[in-house]
């Protein structure tokens, strides 16, 4: 037998230790003292010094099979080694591009349900990622572990966290990663997976994991796949499987229904609150039933395991935040992103398979599977000064048609505060991806709203022709009318000064748009941050402007030459790099031009192997190739046009 003192959580460990030693010597040890047979640790994989755990709990490691021996398998998945290049938030990419695949990559604590909000670039089965190499060594630095289990339904959890584990359903068609690992069932059986999710989110399972972690359970915890695989899992009877799966499905359904009010979720319909979609009491009762059932299955009592509070998602409906969400939704309606006719939106029938169904390309609220609005505004609206439809007016009309009312000035909110809220809402997993862009002149006297999903190479021209130039014409006409007066008063002189100032400000905005129009060819594959970077001077939100400015500088320096924007803006530089970096050549579809497989002799046995190498081109030959590519590639039409205009001295 051995004596252990548990001092974790004690503020002053030295004084606590002294006090406990005195208590032991007096024969009255406190709850900090544990007397254990050290041989009992060997029952747990790794023999951790988890001396504070009940003997009945350590015994279940011997009495039950390991999870990996019970038709389940925990695995590590994809590591891109450059997430900024290969991963996006789901609303950043073209909805009709199936090459972007749902990617489970960890995230916040969430039991049973969590929308998969990331996608990974997996065109041609991840060909570009699989050939992502260190440019210096030529070695592949990405890892596609457990690829045979990609796309399978399963469970996923966050590997590294200071909190407890939380397992949630992972839909089929997803790729799990190294931060959000995958748990697969041998037969892809939805009912068995739901039953396992109930067990895995129980206090018993979490106690067993913390026992395996030992002393590491007190700090930042790393829930590795091997640790999960070795956790004890009983053979379930048909009745136990049925009970657990029904409870898990009921819990999942309630969270799913509440998420229909979350604009960032694939299940979104509208933010209009419906109490029937969420009941904390019902969730608590379901979790309580699960805990009791799992304890019984493992043959334990509640007093045998660590005392963990039942963690229920706390939903608070703040009236001001609620109204702002309504504004955000109706802005999406005006831009054509969301449908306002909820009667036509049907949720799926909830069955065992529903939590594992493939994620839809768009949310339920999206209109006819497209981001486009059936009008001629090209996804652009005015804000304050300027021609065209004013966004706040259209939003106000939409809110009024719903019979809703706001407690704040809608026009001022959209003009001054909405973008800040929107940026915060559309930031997740270290990515910032606002999709409604407020472009300002330097003194904010002129601004327009642009939809990210409607961007194309013509957008700058639409901005100039439909909004900026007509407003400039109006200002010039107003200025001429005042100046033509035979007699002008003091207010007229003030108006003249004001109009000159506005003209100067708007001309500066116009010049910036013109400069961008010379090279900007937005492609949503690049993501919001790269796409918006050339416009950084027109965003007056300071933090966002700073990020975009830094992004643009990195683009200029060649740090993001994998981006389509880099290729269309600096093709000479990028094509030259493609001859040295095969992953760049793949990204820009010039691999066949610049690379080939060569048979080489390698290894101790001097055996022939096939190896990718750049084609043997001299500098002169490479220059000729680049010149011909620029002259013929359809993606570089705007670049050629700009070069031609520059050569002719066209000042635009």
């Amino acid at each position: 037998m051995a004596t252990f003192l548990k001092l974790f959580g004690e503020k002053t460990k030295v004084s606590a230790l002294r006090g406990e030693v005195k208590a032991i010597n007096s024969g009255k040890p406190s709850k900090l003292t544990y007397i254990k047979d050290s041989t009992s640790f060997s029952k747990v994989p790794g023999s951790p010094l988890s001396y504070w755990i009940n003997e009945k709990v350590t015994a279940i490691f011997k009495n039950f099979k390991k999870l990996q021996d019970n038709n389940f398998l925990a695995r590590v998945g994809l590591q891109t080694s450059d997430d900024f290049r290969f991963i996006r938030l789901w609303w950043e990419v073209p909805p009709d591009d199936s090459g972007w695949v749902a990617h489970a990559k960890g995230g916040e604590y969430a039991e049973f349900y969590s929308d998969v909000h990331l996608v990974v670039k997996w065109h041609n089965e991840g060909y570009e990622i699989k050939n992502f190499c260190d440019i210096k060594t030529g070695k592949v630095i990405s890892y596609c572990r457990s690829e045979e289990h990609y796309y399978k339904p399963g469970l996923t959890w966050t590997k590294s966290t200071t909190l407890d584990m939380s397992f949630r359903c992972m839909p089929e068609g997803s790729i799990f990663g190294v931060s959000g690992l995958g748990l697969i069932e041998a037969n892809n059986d939805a009912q068995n997976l739901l039953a396992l999710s109930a067990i895995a989110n129980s206090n018993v399972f979490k106690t067993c994991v913390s026992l395996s972690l030992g002393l590491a359970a007190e700090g930042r915890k790393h829930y590795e796949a091997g640790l999960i695989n070795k956790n004890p899992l009983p053979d379930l009877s048909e009745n136990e499987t049925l009970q657990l799966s029904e409870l898990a499905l009921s819990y999942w359904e309630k969270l799913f229904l509440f998420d229909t009010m979350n604009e960032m979720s694939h299940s979104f319909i509208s933010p209009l609150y419906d109490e029937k979609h969420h009941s904390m009491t019902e969730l608590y009762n379901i979790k309580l039933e699960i805990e009791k059932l799992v304890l019984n299955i493992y043959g334990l009592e509640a007093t045998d395991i660590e005392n963990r509070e039942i963690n229920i998602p706390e939903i608070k409906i703040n009236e001001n935040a609620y109204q702002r969400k309504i504004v955000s939704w109706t802005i999406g309606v005006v831009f054509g992103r969301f449908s306002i006719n909820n009667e036509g939106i049907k949720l799926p029938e909830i069955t065992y398979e529903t939590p594992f169904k493939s994620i839809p390309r768009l949310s339920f609220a999206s209109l006819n599977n497209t981001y486009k609005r059936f009008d001629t505004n090209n996804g652009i609206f005015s804000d304050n000064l300027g021609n065209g439809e004013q966004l706040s007016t259209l939003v106000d009309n939409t809110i009024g048609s719903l019979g809703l009312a706001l407690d704040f000035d809608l026009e001022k909110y959209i003009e001054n505060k909405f973008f800040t809220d929107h940026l915060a809402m559309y930031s997740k997993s270290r990515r910032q991806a606002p999709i409604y862009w407020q472009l300002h002149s330097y003194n904010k006297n002129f601004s327009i709203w642009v939809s990210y999903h409607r961007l194309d190479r013509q957008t700058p021209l639409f901005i100039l022709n439909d909004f900026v130039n007509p407003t400039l014409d109006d200002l010039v006409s107003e200025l001429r009318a005042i100046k033509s007066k035979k007699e002008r008063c003091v207010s007229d002189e003030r108006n003249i000064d004001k109009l000159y100032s506005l003209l100067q400000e708007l001309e500066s905005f116009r010049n910036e748009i013109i400069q961008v129009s010379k090279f900007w060819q937005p492609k949503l594959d690049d993501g919001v941050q790269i796409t918006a970077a050339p416009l950084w001077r027109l965003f007056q939100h300071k933090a966002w402007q700073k990020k975009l400015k830094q992004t643009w500088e990195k683009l200029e320096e060649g740090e993001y030459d994998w981006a389509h924007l880099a290729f269309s803006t600096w093709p000479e530089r990028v094509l030259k790099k493609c001859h040295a970096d095969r992953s760049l050549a793949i990204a820009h579809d010039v691999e066949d031009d610049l690379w080939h497989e060569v048979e080489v002799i390698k290894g101790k046995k001097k055996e022939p192997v096939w190896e990718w190498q750049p084609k043997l081109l001299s500098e002169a030959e490479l220059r000729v190739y680049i010149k011909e590519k620029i002259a013929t590639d359809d993606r570089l039409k705007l670049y050629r046009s700009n070069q031609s205009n520059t050569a002719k001295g066209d000042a635009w």
Side-chain angles (χ1 to χ4, degrees):
M1 303 297 286
T3 301
F4 300 88
L5 302 181
K6 186 179 180 183
L7 301 177
F8 290 117
E10 299 297 315
K11 292 183 179 180
T12 54
K13 291 180 174 53
V14 174
S15 60
L17 175 61
R18 287 172 179 167
E20 194 60 21
V21 169
K22 289 181 181 179
I24 292 171
N25 290 335
S26 66
K28 297 179 180 180
S30 75
K31 61 181 180 179
L32 298 178
T33 298
Y34 297 81
I35 300 175
K36 286 276 186 176
D37 180 357
S38 57
T39 60
S40 66
F41 300 144
S42 62
K43 297 177 183 177
V44 182
S47 301
L49 297 177
S50 299
Y51 49 81
W52 58 89
I53 302 296
N54 188 295
E55 288 288 346
K56 290 172 66 177
V57 176
T58 57
I60 67 176
F61 281 87
K62 184 178 181 181
N63 297 336
F64 298 113
K65 290 190 294 186
K66 297 175 183 177
L67 181 143
Q68 65 186 14
D69 298 326
N70 222 335
N71 283 335
F72 294 100
L73 193 63
R75 279 290 181 260
V76 179
L78 174 66
Q79 177 182 327
T80 70
S81 296
D82 189 345
D83 287 352
F84 186 69
R85 173 175 175 175
F86 295 114
I87 292 178
R88 305 281 183 271
L89 291 162
W90 69 266
W91 56 82
E92 291 186 81
V93 300
D96 56 353
D97 187 345
S98 60
W100 289 97
V101 175
H103 183 42
K105 194 177 177 292
E108 300 173 353
Y109 185 96
E111 293 182 332
F112 298 98
Y113 171 85
S114 180
D115 187 56
V116 181
H117 58 272
L118 292 173
V119 289
V120 63
K121 190 176 186 181
W122 202 246
H123 300 76
N124 196 15
E125 292 301 305
Y127 188 63
E128 185 180 338
I129 291 177
K130 291 174 182 177
N131 292 285
F132 179 45
C133 300
D134 184 322
I135 189 66
K136 294 180 180 178
T137 65
K139 292 183 178 180
V140 174
I141 55 177
S142 59
Y143 299 92
C144 299
R145 302 179 181 92
S146 310
E147 188 177 352
E148 68 275 16
H149 296 299
Y150 294 177
Y151 305 135
K152 292 180 179 179
L155 305 180
T156 184
W157 75 98
T158 302
K159 184 185 79 170
S160 182
T161 176
T162 57
L163 304 174
D164 274 334
M165 297 178 306
S166 57
F167 289 81
R168 48 265 189 196
C169 296
M170 179 176 67
E172 63 185 358
S174 304
I175 294 176
F176 53 93
V178 292
S179 299
L181 285 66
L183 184 50
I184 308 301
E185 201 267 347
N187 301 309
N188 302 325
D189 187 281
Q191 189 175 20
N192 289 340
L193 283 168
L194 283 167
L196 178 62
S197 72
I199 291 176
N201 285 313
S202 71
N203 285 343
V204 174
F205 197 86
K206 293 175 181 179
T207 297
C208 291
V209 169
S210 66
L211 175 58
S212 299
L213 286 171
L215 298 177
E218 298 297 328
R220 186 170 186 84
K221 295 167 275 285
H222 300 281
Y223 300 116
E224 305 285 355
L227 182 70
I228 304 304
N229 279 326
K230 293 175 182 178
N231 229 46
L233 184 68
D235 288 319
L236 300 177
S237 67
E238 287 187 15
N239 186 52
E240 288 168 339
T241 300
L242 178 63
Q243 286 181 281
L244 287 170
S245 59
E246 286 184 344
L247 288 168
L249 182 61
S250 181
Y251 199 101
W252 180 93
E253 181 180 11
K254 294 185 185 306
L255 293 180
F256 169 78
L257 288 174
F258 188 78
D259 219 26
T260 61
M261 297 183 286
N262 175 14
E263 185 176 315
M264 320 310 296
S265 170
H266 288 88
S267 61
F268 176 66
I269 292 177
S270 82
L272 302 178
Y273 183 65
D274 189 339
E275 290 185 359
K276 70 180 181 183
H277 284 172
H278 186 269
S279 169
M280 293 180 65
T281 302
E282 289 181 8
L283 287 174
Y284 182 86
N285 289 336
I286 294 170
K287 193 69 190 298
L288 199 60
E289 282 191 63
I290 290 174
E291 296 293 350
K292 290 177 181 178
L293 185 54
V294 173
L295 279 168
N296 184 62
I297 291 171
Y298 277 91
L300 299 174
E301 302 290 337
T303 53
D304 295 331
I305 62 173
E306 296 178 13
N307 182 26
R308 284 180 167 85
E309 291 185 8
I310 293 179
N311 195 334
I312 302 299
E314 187 175 358
I315 308 300
K316 294 182 178 179
I317 305 298
N318 177 281
E319 182 61 29
N320 188 263
Y322 176 56
Q323 291 187 22
R324 292 184 182 190
K325 288 180 180 179
I326 288 174
V327 173
S328 180
W329 169 51
T330 49
I331 285 177
V333 170
V334 169
F335 273 114
R337 185 175 180 223
F338 300 133
S339 169
I340 203 169
N341 179 18
N342 295 342
E343 294 178 2
I345 300 173
K346 294 182 179 179
L347 290 172
E349 181 183 352
I350 305 299
T351 66
Y352 285 130
E353 287 74 27
T354 308
F356 305 104
K357 287 291 186 183
S358 296
I359 297 172
R361 303 301 300 175
L362 300 172
S363 67
F364 291 121
S366 296
L367 182 62
N368 294 336
N369 281 344
T370 176
Y371 285 125
K372 292 186 177 180
R373 181 173 183 250
F374 298 105
D375 60 12
T376 58
N377 76 327
N378 301 300
I380 308 169
F381 295 100
S382 67
D383 193 357
N384 40 27
L385 176 69
N387 290 44
E389 295 179 293
Q390 191 167 357
L391 181 62
S392 59
T393 300
L394 295 170
V395 172
D396 190 38
N397 292 340
T398 305
I399 291 175
S401 70
L402 295 168
L404 302 173
L406 303 175
D407 294 337
F408 49 82
D409 187 314
L410 177 63
E411 184 175 352
K412 288 183 178 179
Y413 171 67
I414 290 179
E415 184 177 336
N416 301 318
K417 295 181 179 180
F418 172 72
F419 184 78
T420 298
D421 289 345
H422 176 63
L423 178 63
M425 182 186 293
Y426 278 68
S427 297
K428 203 171 181 68
S429 295
R430 300 179 183 178
R431 289 193 67 86
Q432 291 181 294
I435 58 174
Y436 311 129
W437 295 357
Q438 187 180 28
L439 305 181
H440 271 117
S441 58
Y442 55 76
N443 279 334
K444 298 185 179 181
N445 285 310
F446 175 85
S447 63
I448 57 170
W449 288 91
V450 179
S451 170
Y452 169 73
H453 296 122
R454 300 288 301 280
L455 295 174
D456 59 34
R457 58 184 294 179
Q458 300 299 320
T459 298
L461 299 181
F462 291 137
I463 292 173
L464 292 173
N465 295 334
D466 297 343
F467 294 87
V468 178
N469 291 339
T471 304
L472 278 170
D473 291 343
D474 289 346
L475 290 174
V476 169
S477 296
E478 189 176 351
L479 183 60
R480 285 174 178 168
I482 296 175
K483 293 180 71 174
S484 65
K485 291 182 178 181
K486 293 182 178 180
E487 295 183 5
R488 297 198 296 263
C489 61
V490 175
S491 63
D492 287 333
E493 298 299 331
R494 289 174 180 169
N495 283 335
I496 289 174
D497 290 341
K498 180 180 178 181
L499 288 169
Y500 269 125
S501 178
L502 287 173
L503 277 170
Q504 186 177 19
E505 185 178 342
L506 193 51
E507 284 173 353
S508 174
F509 183 93
R510 177 178 179 274
N511 291 337
E512 189 65 31
I513 294 293
I514 289 174
Q515 290 303 314
V516 170
S517 72
K518 294 179 181 180
F519 64 87
W520 193 47
Q521 296 189 79
K523 188 167 183 179
L524 302 195
D525 277 353
D526 284 343
V528 170
Q529 191 173 319
I530 293 270
T531 305
L535 299 166
W536 68 268
R537 290 184 179 86
L538 301 181
F539 286 95
Q540 299 305 319
H541 184 283
K542 295 303 179 185
W544 179 238
Q545 184 188 68
K546 181 180 179 181
K547 179 179 282 290
L548 294 186
K549 182 175 184 289
Q550 292 170 344
T551 304
W552 177 246
E553 290 169 349
K554 289 179 179 179
L555 276 163
E556 288 182 312
E557 293 165 3
E559 188 167 335
Y560 302 138
D561 276 349
W562 46 263
H564 298 282
L565 181 62
F567 176 80
S568 61
T569 308
W570 301 281
E572 295 98 335
R573 181 188 76 200
V574 173
L575 286 168
K576 186 175 181 180
K577 278 189 178 181
C578 287
H579 189 235
D581 186 337
R582 182 167 160 244
S583 75
L584 285 184
I586 294 169
H588 298 303
D589 197 25
V590 294
E591 180 191 29
D592 291 342
D593 296 346
L594 299 173
W595 288 76
H596 60 177
E597 281 189 290
V598 179
E599 191 175 37
V600 297
I601 306 299
K602 278 194 170 184
K604 293 181 180 180
K605 296 183 179 180
K606 304 298 181 181
E607 294 179 339
V609 296
W610 288 94
E611 180 180 88
W612 281 96
Q613 291 184 1
K615 291 182 179 180
L616 295 175
L617 300 176
S618 66
E619 286 192 19
E621 289 172 324
L622 184 58
R623 284 198 299 270
V624 169
Y625 164 76
I626 292 173
K627 184 177 180 180
E628 290 178 351
K629 187 68 176 174
I630 291 173
T632 58
D633 196 308
D634 286 343
R635 295 171 293 178
L636 299 174
K637 284 182 179 179
L638 183 60
Y639 179 81
R640 291 195 295 271
S641 175
N642 186 41
Q643 293 296 100
S644 175
N645 289 328
T646 301
K648 295 176 182 177
D650 190 341
W652 286 72

